[in-house]
């Protein structure tokens, strides 16, 4: 049996679009992430729509739009109803991220692809997992195991391993090898020596991104210091500071840093307030407080020292509308004639919609204000445009080998940017009158239709109550009644519409229902025009009268009812209330905005830069690499590094395009065989790293009842056969040198890479062309040192 492994890029290959890939392992089709940005472009989702119904499982990596933005749409519209897996933190915060985006879209246009209920249904389909928890796929794909590992970058961010009997796939997107304020480093790294986790070494296939391949970043300490200095510069100028953020991912790190800084600088609180402007801000904070176990260990330690609530953010004021922000700024000043200023973290990070775009349009013309970009933003967004302008002004003299320069904010004097403003405006005049007439007609038709359908159902119930049939046919009659109701609801629409029109036009005052005759065993007498009256018959069962339990429930107080509502619907945003439907229409405006404010960019994205990413890939020693999610230039740069002869990538490096399918199978054949108890007991086994090895010889026996052959003891073969000893272990000279040094033998490497021991014995790598393997060769005179070195070398390996 030979394993099959294929990879198809659906979105996010040779570009910086949202990520979505299809991995086919044997007969299983696994969707790796399901991202889409806020525009929900039909062209970018076309590939996803084609394969959605064929997918067997979905793996989600991060709680942001780039990794799961299209999942509710695919679940509700495209038929992507297969099992989905994510960590508990991604499951909770990802739902908030998509809900916030949907609510922002609904305020600017008639967004109808999906709504908040579709988001909740989609995320209820996700199975939450813990880190390092192996999970077998369902059904006939149970031989495939998926395991989540920490990726850093976002809370609950995941690196996935997908393994079966022949292949091990490591899916590592947007990981961070550095520890942050509220997040630990990625599981790719072990300890503080910059070494890769040995449990993740040598994957058959590595799928990774090249998003930062061309960027070399300064140290995190310098970047955090520059970020706070940029915000402080805006505060000292007496203006407002806008920090565009996402709604549930990187905002936690930025809010935590600003909150601590605000706490230690009392002078800031005298003139400015720190806000988080998001439609789901309070729920985001509440969920973050319940996910302390997914954060860095120092967060829990700080809670014990300060004796405070988890992730309290006491200096961050959460507001959910521009109007609420304006009220707080107008009433929060100590001086009546002086208006307070603000540092506002506003959604969304791309500034293509949401509060961040609206605040930018309001504040950009004032030279005292400032925009501090912690992220580059999505492609073609307003944030990406501002970042490009800042980069061209500040990084002209920077060579590719130098880190990105950190400096003070810059003024884009005289620059203009085109902003597309979309919003829903109330209807007025004739448009409002026309809408009201149509709405009244629609409500009347719905009420009349519901009355007719209710009468038809009551007739069925009445016929059932008056029937003299025995209890043996009750179940069948219940099925017939339900089927009749469904048939009436589907087939009688035209009849109901006709009767409704007659009723509304005044041609009749009766709810006339034509006789239907015999329908599914139920006989209806012909009905005649008459005053609509239906005798109510009390329903009874074998225990007596049937009653409605809701009539006996004690109504709770207002406070208790509100508390119960929050418990039953934990994911509803704070701003969701039943409001009267106001007729609106979409309005689009293209506005030229003058940029008089200052602009600063400090990389707070929490991703590994190009240098660290390439070093980690080399240490992982994958057999094959697929590079995605990055510009064409960055993808090719990382591919050239992996193709270098000195790199540890054993075979192919791929840079697929959108829709391109790659065959990345290792071509290993697997043969299953059963061992008899007698053969297994007499075989010596040795533990080597994470495996158990042993040599055995026997006779294969086939059975008609079992497809898997059996290896049984062959006594003749064991007596006469002989197998030369085989050494199994790590043949690296560096590891062998450490073992020799621990035994007191002085070692060094000469110019040719040969390991010299006590200046008398030499050890070098030797290739066996016949077996196509690499071994060790020990050279030297026969002396005590030679025998001692040889015994240590033999002891370094397992002999089978």
């Amino acid at each position: 049996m030979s394993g099959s492994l294929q990879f198809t890029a659906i979105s996010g290959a040779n570009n910086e679009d949202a990520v979505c890939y299809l991995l086919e392992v044997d007969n299983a089709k696994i969707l790796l992430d399901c991202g889409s940005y806020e525009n929900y472009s039909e062209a970018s989702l076309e590939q996803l729509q084609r394969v959605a119904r064929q997918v067997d499982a979905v793996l989600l990596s991060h709680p942001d739009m780039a990794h799961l933005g299209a999942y509710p749409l695919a679940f509700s519209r495209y038929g992507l109803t297969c099992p989905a897996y994510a960590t508990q933190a991604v499951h909770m915060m990802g739902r908030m991220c998509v809900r916030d985006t949907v609510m922002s879209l609904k305020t600017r246009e008639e967004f109808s692809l999906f709504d908040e209920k579709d988001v909740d249904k989609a995320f209820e389909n996700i199975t939450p997992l813990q880190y390092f928890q192996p999970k077998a796929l369902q059904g006939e794909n149970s031989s495939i195991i998926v395991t989540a590992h920490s990726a850093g970058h976002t809370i609950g961010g995941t690196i996935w391993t997908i393994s079966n009997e022949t292949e091990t796939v490591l899916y590592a997107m947007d990981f961070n090898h550095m520890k942050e304020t509220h997040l630990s480093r990625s599981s790719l790294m072990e300890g503080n020596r910059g070494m890769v986790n040995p449990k993740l070494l040598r994957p058959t296939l590595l799928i990774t991104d090249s998003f930062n391949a061309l960027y070399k970043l300064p140290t995190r300490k310098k970047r955090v210091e520059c970020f706070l200095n940029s915000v402080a510069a805006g505060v000292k100028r007496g203006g407002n500071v806008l920090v565009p953020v996402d709604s549930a991912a990187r905002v936690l790190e930025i809010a935590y840093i600003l909150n601590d800084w605000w706490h230690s600088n009392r002078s800031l609180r005298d003139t400015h307030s720190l806000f988080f402007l998001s439609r789901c801000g309070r729920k985001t904070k509440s969920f973050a407080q319940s996910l302390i176990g997914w954060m860095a260990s120092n967060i829990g330690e700080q809670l014990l020292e300060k004796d405070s609530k988890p992730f309290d953010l006491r200096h961050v004021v959460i507001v959910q509308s521009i109007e609420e922000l304006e009220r707080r700024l107008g009433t929060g000043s100590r001086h009546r004639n002086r208006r307070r200023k603000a540092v506002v973290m506003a959604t969304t990070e791309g500034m293509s919609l949401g509060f961040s775009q609206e605040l930018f349009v309001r504040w950009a013309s004032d030279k005292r204000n400032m925009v501090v970009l912690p992220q580059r933003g999505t492609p073609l967004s307003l944030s990406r445009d501002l970042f490009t302008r800042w980069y061209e002004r500040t990084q002209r003299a920077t060579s590719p080998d130098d880190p990105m320069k950190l400096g003070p904010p810059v003024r884009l004097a005289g620059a203009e940017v085109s902003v597309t403003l979309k919003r829903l405006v109330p209807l007025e005049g004739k448009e409002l009158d026309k809408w009201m007439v149509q709405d009244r007609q629609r409500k009347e038709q719905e009420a009349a239709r519901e009355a007719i359908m209710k009468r038809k159902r009551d007739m069925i119930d009445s016929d059932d109550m008056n029937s003299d049939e025995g209890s043996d046919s009750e179940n069948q009659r219940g099925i017939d009644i339900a089927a009749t109701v469904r048939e009436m609801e589907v087939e009688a629409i035209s009849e109901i519409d006709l009767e409704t029109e007659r009723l509304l036009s005044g041609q009749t005052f009766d709810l006339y229902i034509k006789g239907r005759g015999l329908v599914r065993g139920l006989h209806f007498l012909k009905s005649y025009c008459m005053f609509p009256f239906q005798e109510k018959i009390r329903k009874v069962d074998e225990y007596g009268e049937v009653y409605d339990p809701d009539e006996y429930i004690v109504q709770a107080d207002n406070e208790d009812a509100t508390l119960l509502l929050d418990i039953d619907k934990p994911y509803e945003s704070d701003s969701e209330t039943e409001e009267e439907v106001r007729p609106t229409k979409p309005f689009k405006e293209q506005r030229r905005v003058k940029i008089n404010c200052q602009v600063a960019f400090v990389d707070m994205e929490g991703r590994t830069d190009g240098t660290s990413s390439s070093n980690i890939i080399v240490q992982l020693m994958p057999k094959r690499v697929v590079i995605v999610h990055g510009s064409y230039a960055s993808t090719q740069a990382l591919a050239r590094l992996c193709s270098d002869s000195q790199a540890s990538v054993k075979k192919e490096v791929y840079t697929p395009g959108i829709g391109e399918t790659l065959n990345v199978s290792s071509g290993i054949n697997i043969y299953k065989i059963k061992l008899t108890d007698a053969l297994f007991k007499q075989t010596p086994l040795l533990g080597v790293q994470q495996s158990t090895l042993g040599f055995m010889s026997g006779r294969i026996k086939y059975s008609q009842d079992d497809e898997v052959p059996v290896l049984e003891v062959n006594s003749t073969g064991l007596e006469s056969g002989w197998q030369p000893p085989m050494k199994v272990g790590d043949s690296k000279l560096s590891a062998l040198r450490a073992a020799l040094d621990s035994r007191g033998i002085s070692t060094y490497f000469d110019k040719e890479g040969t390991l010299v021991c006590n200046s008398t014995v030499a050890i070098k790598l030797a290739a066996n062309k016949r077996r196509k393997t690499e071994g060790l060769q020990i050279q030297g005179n026969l002396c005590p040192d030679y025998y001692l070195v040889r015994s240590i070398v033999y002891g370094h390996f397992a002999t089978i």
Side-chain angles (χ1 to χ4, degrees):
M1 181 179 66
S2 177
S4 174
L5 191 63
Q6 292 185 341
F7 176 86
T8 304
I10 297 176
S11 174
N14 278 301
N15 56 42
E16 297 180 359
D17 292 343
V19 297
C20 184
Y21 313 104
L22 182 65
L23 181 68
E24 300 180 52
V25 183
D26 295 336
N27 296 324
K29 295 184 177 181
I30 304 174
L31 195 67
L32 304 176
D33 286 321
C34 189
S36 175
Y37 294 132
E38 298 86 355
N39 56 355
Y40 288 99
S41 171
E42 294 183 0
S44 61
L45 296 172
E46 183 178 357
Q47 294 282 345
L48 174 61
Q49 189 173 2
R50 291 178 181 177
V51 304
R53 296 184 183 276
Q54 308 171 19
V55 175
D56 298 305
V58 182
L59 304 181
L60 303 176
S61 302
H62 294 279
D64 55 18
M65 293 296 294
H67 293 83
L68 49 73
Y71 179 65
L73 174 62
F75 181 86
S76 59
R77 293 292 185 92
Y78 299 163
L80 187 67
T81 56
C82 62
Y85 303 94
T87 59
Q88 180 69 37
V90 171
H91 175 252
M92 296 176 64
M93 305 304 281
R95 187 192 301 235
M96 284 294 98
C97 174
V98 182
R99 285 179 65 93
D100 184 87
T101 301
V102 172
M103 295 169 64
S104 298
L105 288 170
K106 284 187 173 181
T107 61
R108 69 196 301 260
E109 58 185 304
E110 295 177 351
F111 183 75
S112 59
L113 290 178
F114 60 94
D115 56 17
E116 292 91 331
K117 293 183 180 179
D118 294 326
V119 175
D120 293 339
K121 290 180 181 178
F123 277 84
E124 287 172 1
N125 184 59
I126 297 176
T127 301
L129 300 177
Q130 301 293 324
Y131 284 146
F132 312 113
Q133 174 188 351
K135 179 67 177 180
L137 299 187
Q138 298 181 4
E140 56 187 23
N141 301 316
S142 58
S143 61
I144 300 175
I145 308 296
V146 298
T147 308
H149 304 270
S150 173
H153 178 58
T154 61
I155 185 169
T158 309
I159 291 174
W160 292 98
T161 56
I162 305 109
S163 58
N164 64 354
E165 296 169 334
T166 58
E167 313 283 357
T168 300
V169 180
L170 182 62
Y171 179 65
M173 301 289 292
D174 295 330
F175 57 88
N176 188 8
H177 70 292
M178 297 296 295
K179 182 179 179 299
E180 295 189 278
T181 306
H182 85 294
L183 292 177
S184 301
R185 68 175 66 195
S186 169
S187 296
L188 282 174
M189 310 303 295
E190 184 181 56
N192 298 320
R193 297 184 298 172
M195 302 300 293
V196 172
N197 189 343
K199 296 180 180 179
L200 302 177
L201 285 176
R202 300 182 182 88
T204 305
L205 175 65
L206 171 64
I207 305 172
T208 189
D209 67 282
S210 60
F211 196 82
N212 272 356
L214 296 179
Y215 289 96
K216 187 176 181 181
L217 301 176
T219 62
R220 182 183 178 277
K221 182 179 180 181
K222 292 182 179 179
R223 284 184 282 125
V224 172
E225 182 180 354
C226 181
F227 174 74
L228 296 178
N229 290 339
S230 299
V231 176
V235 172
K236 291 180 180 178
R237 294 175 61 86
N240 297 309
V241 180
L242 172 62
V243 184
V245 294
D246 54 35
S247 55
R250 292 299 302 170
V251 64
L252 301 181
E253 175 74 9
I254 297 171
Y256 198 88
I257 292 174
L258 287 176
N259 180 77
D260 281 358
W261 182 58
W262 219 258
H263 178 75
S264 59
N265 290 271
R266 183 177 179 83
S267 59
L268 299 174
R269 305 195 294 270
D270 294 336
T271 58
H272 284 66
S273 298
L274 180 60
F275 292 97
F276 175 36
L277 179 56
S278 171
R279 289 180 172 84
C280 299
R282 294 188 179 93
K283 291 295 182 184
T284 299
K285 177 183 176 180
S286 176
F287 288 164
Q289 291 176 334
S290 66
L291 295 172
I292 296 299
W294 294 87
M295 300 183 185
S297 58
N298 63 298
I299 298 294
E301 295 173 358
Q302 292 176 5
L303 296 178
L304 297 176
E305 295 176 359
K306 299 179 181 180
D307 192 21
S308 60
K309 296 181 180 179
F311 218 81
D312 189 26
L313 302 181
R314 64 180 61 184
H315 298 291
V316 178
V317 182
I318 298 177
V319 291
Q320 299 186 161
S321 66
I322 297 289
E323 292 74 16
E324 184 180 359
L325 175 65
E326 293 291 338
R327 288 196 303 269
R328 288 182 175 272
L329 291 178
T331 59
S333 177
R334 296 179 180 178
H335 305 282
R336 295 183 178 179
N337 298 328
R338 183 179 177 183
R339 182 182 176 86
R340 285 184 65 85
K341 299 298 181 180
V343 176
V344 183
M345 297 173 286
T347 58
T348 60
E349 75 274 17
M351 301 174 66
S352 296
L353 78 160
F355 297 129
S356 58
Q357 184 192 60
E358 187 173 349
L359 290 180
F360 174 79
V361 173
R362 293 188 181 191
W363 293 351
S365 59
D366 192 339
K367 62 181 181 180
R368 297 175 300 173
N369 296 333
M370 182 181 297
V371 178
V372 181
L373 302 173
Q375 304 178 74
R376 281 167 279 181
T378 57
L380 303 179
S381 64
L382 177 58
S383 290
R384 180 61 65 90
D385 188 4
L386 295 178
F387 165 76
T388 303
R389 296 169 186 260
W390 173 88
Y391 191 86
E392 292 174 350
R393 294 268 185 118
T394 60
Q395 309 295 320
R396 292 178 181 176
T398 304
S399 64
D401 296 332
D402 295 334
M404 183 181 294
K405 290 183 179 179
L406 298 175
V410 298
R411 181 181 300 280
L412 305 178
E416 291 187 356
V417 62
S418 178
V419 180
T420 302
L421 299 176
K422 294 181 180 181
R423 61 182 181 274
L424 295 176
V425 297
L427 296 179
E428 297 178 354
K430 295 182 179 180
E431 292 180 335
L432 179 59
D433 296 338
K434 182 179 179 180
W435 182 90
M436 294 180 66
V437 172
Q438 294 176 348
D439 185 62
R440 184 172 61 254
Q441 293 177 351
R442 178 181 58 82
K443 290 181 179 179
E444 290 175 351
Q445 291 179 356
E446 290 179 353
R449 178 177 299 189
E450 180 62 27
I452 294 173
M453 293 300 299
K454 183 177 183 301
R455 179 175 173 80
K456 287 179 179 287
R457 296 191 187 96
D458 291 341
M459 290 177 62
I460 297 175
D461 295 338
S462 176
D463 184 77
D464 180 50
M465 295 295 297
N466 295 327
S467 175
D468 295 331
E469 296 185 11
S471 59
D472 294 339
S473 60
E474 287 184 0
N475 294 336
Q476 182 62 35
R477 289 191 57 79
I479 298 174
D480 290 339
I481 291 172
T484 303
V485 172
R486 289 195 298 269
E487 179 181 334
M488 291 164 49
E489 291 177 349
V490 175
E491 297 179 359
I493 295 300
S494 59
E495 178 185 342
I496 294 174
D497 289 340
L498 178 61
E499 295 176 11
T500 302
E501 292 296 332
R502 293 177 60 198
L503 185 67
L504 294 177
S505 61
Q507 298 180 17
T508 180
F509 299 95
D510 296 324
L511 299 179
Y512 174 64
I513 304 174
K514 297 180 181 179
R516 297 178 58 88
L518 187 64
V519 179
R520 293 186 183 271
L522 299 177
H523 183 71
F524 292 98
L525 298 176
K526 185 175 181 179
S527 301
Y528 296 93
C529 293
M530 60 187 301
F531 186 80
F533 172 76
Q534 178 68 36
E535 182 181 1
K536 294 184 178 180
I537 302 176
R538 292 186 176 183
K539 298 182 180 181
V540 296
D541 56 16
E542 58 269 25
Y543 297 104
E545 181 180 350
V546 177
Y547 66 93
D548 185 5
D550 295 338
E551 297 179 357
Y552 299 90
I553 295 178
V554 179
Q555 298 295 331
D557 297 336
N558 293 335
E559 295 182 0
D560 297 337
T562 303
L563 179 61
L564 291 174
L565 182 63
D566 292 338
I567 296 175
D568 294 338
K569 301 179 180 179
Y571 291 103
E572 288 192 358
S573 66
D574 307 298
S575 61
E576 286 189 35
T577 56
E578 293 185 1
E579 298 181 356
E580 183 181 357
V581 177
R582 300 178 59 185
T584 58
K585 65 178 181 180
F587 177 78
K588 183 178 179 180
E589 177 186 2
Q590 200 73 24
R591 184 181 299 183
R592 300 291 298 180
V593 179
K594 291 185 178 180
I595 307 177
N596 293 327
C597 64
Q598 291 187 330
V599 177
F601 170 79
V602 183
D603 192 300
M604 300 293 291
E605 295 178 349
R607 290 186 176 95
T608 299
D609 64 356
T611 303
S612 301
S613 178
S614 59
N615 292 335
I616 292 173
I617 293 176
V618 169
Q619 291 188 50
L620 283 172
M621 294 183 290
K623 293 183 178 180
R624 293 169 183 82
V625 177
V626 174
I627 302 174
V628 291
H629 195 219
S631 64
Y632 178 81
S634 62
T635 301
Q636 296 303 316
L638 187 58
R640 287 192 298 268
L641 185 142
C642 294
S643 302
D644 191 345
S645 59
Q646 297 181 354
S648 299
V649 179
K650 300 297 183 184
K651 295 186 179 180
E652 301 91 354
V653 178
Y654 302 95
T655 58
I658 300 298
E660 181 180 354
T661 300
L662 304 174
N663 184 6
V664 287
S665 303
S666 60
I668 299 176
N669 293 322
I670 295 180
Y671 302 95
K672 292 184 178 180
I673 194 169
K674 292 183 178 179
L675 304 179
T676 60
D677 293 339
L679 180 61
F680 184 77
K681 289 180 180 179
Q682 68 182 23
T683 302
L685 299 176
L686 294 177
V688 180
Q689 295 181 357
Q690 299 178 1
S691 304
T692 303
L693 303 178
F695 176 81
M696 59 184 62
S697 176
R699 182 179 62 183
I700 297 178
K701 180 181 179 180
Y702 292 91
S703 174
Q704 296 180 355
D705 300 334
D706 195 350
E707 297 180 356
V708 180
V710 178
L711 184 64
E712 61 182 11
V713 176
N714 183 5
S715 57
T716 305
L718 288 176
E719 293 174 359
S720 59
W722 177 81
Q723 170 70 17
M726 181 186 301
K727 301 293 184 181
V728 181
D730 192 355
S731 60
K732 285 186 178 180
L733 292 180
S734 58
L736 185 58
R737 181 184 182 183
L740 292 169
D741 290 341
S742 64
R743 298 290 296 272
I745 297 176
S746 61
T747 59
Y748 66 90
F749 286 103
D750 62 6
K751 295 181 180 180
E752 298 180 355
T754 302
L755 181 61
V756 181
C757 308
N758 283 347
S759 301
T760 56
V761 182
I763 305 175
K764 63 180 181 179
L765 296 175
N768 190 326
K769 296 181 180 180
R770 184 174 61 87
R771 295 186 178 181
K772 296 182 180 180
T773 58
E774 191 178 64
L776 295 176
Q777 190 176 64
I778 305 175
Q779 299 176 348
N781 296 327
L782 299 180
C783 60
D785 287 341
Y786 176 86
Y787 291 108
L788 177 59
V789 170
R790 190 182 69 172
S791 63
I792 295 174
V793 171
Y794 284 0
H796 184 68
F797 300 96
T799 304
I800 298 176

